[in-house]
């Protein structure tokens, strides 16, 4: 696989968070994955809707020791920013 894409518009924010955390750990474990796409153009209120932001150093996602990103959606904050669609 060359590029892994997780699309929040198709999957929704909760499923996308689950898929992305599984893909990040999987990508770190396989030797032949070249790149995993992430969205670096964040929303102005992005930090409000997650408990923590993904940690990037030198362009690389730093994975925690535990499964996932240690980044969970904040349901109350999500309700303050309803979808415009």
């Amino acid at each position: 696989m060359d590029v892994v894409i997780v699309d929040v518009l198709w999957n929704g924010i909760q499923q996308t968070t689950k898929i992305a955390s599984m893909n990040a750990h999987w990508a770190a474990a396989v030797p032949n994955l070249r790149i995993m796409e992430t969205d670096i153009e964040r929303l102005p209120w992005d930090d409000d809707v997650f408990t923590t932001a993904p940690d990037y150093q030198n362009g690389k996602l730093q994975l925690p020791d535990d499964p996932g990103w240690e980044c969970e959606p904040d349901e109350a904050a999500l309700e303050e920013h309803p979808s415009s669609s």
Side-chain angles (χ1 to χ4, degrees):
M1 169 180 335
D2 290 330
V3 178
V4 175
I5 301 172
V6 181
D7 194 339
V8 72
L9 296 177
W10 290 101
N11 299 314
I13 195 142
Q14 289 182 326
Q15 288 302 317
T16 296
T17 301
K18 290 179 186 178
I19 294 167
S21 69
M22 288 186 289
N23 277 346
H25 282 271
W26 176 76
V30 297
N32 61 341
L33 185 92
R34 183 174 39 165
I35 187 172
M36 184 171 81
E37 179 183 83
T38 61
D39 186 3
I40 59 170
E41 295 176 5
R42 313 304 292 186
L43 297 168
W45 42 267
D46 205 35
D47 290 339
D48 297 340
V49 297
F50 293 105
T51 54
T52 60
D55 179 22
Y56 292 94
Q57 295 177 16
N58 298 319
K60 296 180 180 178
L61 176 63
Q62 303 302 303
L63 296 176
D65 293 332
D66 297 328
W69 291 356
E70 298 181 354
C71 173
E72 298 294 328
D74 181 334
E75 297 291 333
L78 286 170
E79 289 178 6
E80 294 176 18
H81 303 281
S83 172
S84 60
S85 58

